[in-house]
Amino acid sequence: MDKRSEMHRRERRRYVIGYGGSLLLTLTTFAVAYLFGIETPGVYLTIGLLGLAQLVLQLVYFLHIDRRRSSREDLHLVLFSTMVLLIMILGTIWVLGNLAMRMHMHVM
């Protein structure tokens, strides 16, 4: 029972660290947008990098995906899902941008 409670304590510690890190990154993102304004150069890059850091933090602390062999299949699944979502999002932006450009050309 002692080994089991130690494992639960370690697991809970990981979740608390992940929650604290996610909360800190979220508050930092809002603070950057509030303090510097969304029109300031570099704010979009900063927000994107903070979002990427939060993605990595959540993959490690909540989904337990790391570089061990046992979680490589999970990592491949996450990467494939991300690729499919990016294809859908970028394809939609491309098509809508093309349609908007054609509509503006037609009006002139």
Side-chain angles (χ1 to χ4, degrees):
M1 202 64 178
D2 186 39
K3 188 174 185 175
R4 190 175 216 177
S5 65
E6 176 68 29
M7 196 169 69
H8 285 294
R9 193 168 65 226
R10 200 175 302 147
E11 189 73 19
R12 187 178 23 210
R13 183 171 176 254
R14 283 182 59 108
Y15 283 125
V16 168
I17 291 171
Y19 177 74
S22 292
L23 187 63
L24 180 69
L25 287 170
T26 300
L27 292 175
T28 304
T29 303
F30 279 107
V32 165
Y34 180 76
L35 292 174
F36 297 106
I38 205 70
E39 300 297 324
T40 306
V43 168
Y44 287 128
L45 178 65
T46 304
I47 290 173
L49 290 175
L50 287 170
L52 187 62
Q54 187 160 22
L55 173 70
V56 170
L57 185 127
Q58 290 182 6
L59 286 174
V60 170
Y61 284 100
F62 296 125
L63 296 178
H64 305 289
I65 294 177
D66 52 13
R67 293 170 40 165
R68 284 183 290 164
R69 193 159 203 39
S70 62
S71 36
R72 281 197 186 147
E73 289 95 16
D74 295 336
L75 180 61
H76 289 154
L77 179 64
V78 168
L79 290 175
F80 178 75
S81 300
T82 303
M83 183 186 71
V84 169
L85 282 172
L86 280 175
I87 289 171
M88 290 172 52
I89 291 168
L90 294 175
T92 301
I93 291 171
W94 181 18
V95 167
L96 290 177
N98 192 358
L99 287 174
M101 185 178 66
R102 289 181 181 202
M103 286 175 53
H104 287 269
M105 288 175 58
H106 181 59
V107 171
M108 292 181 175

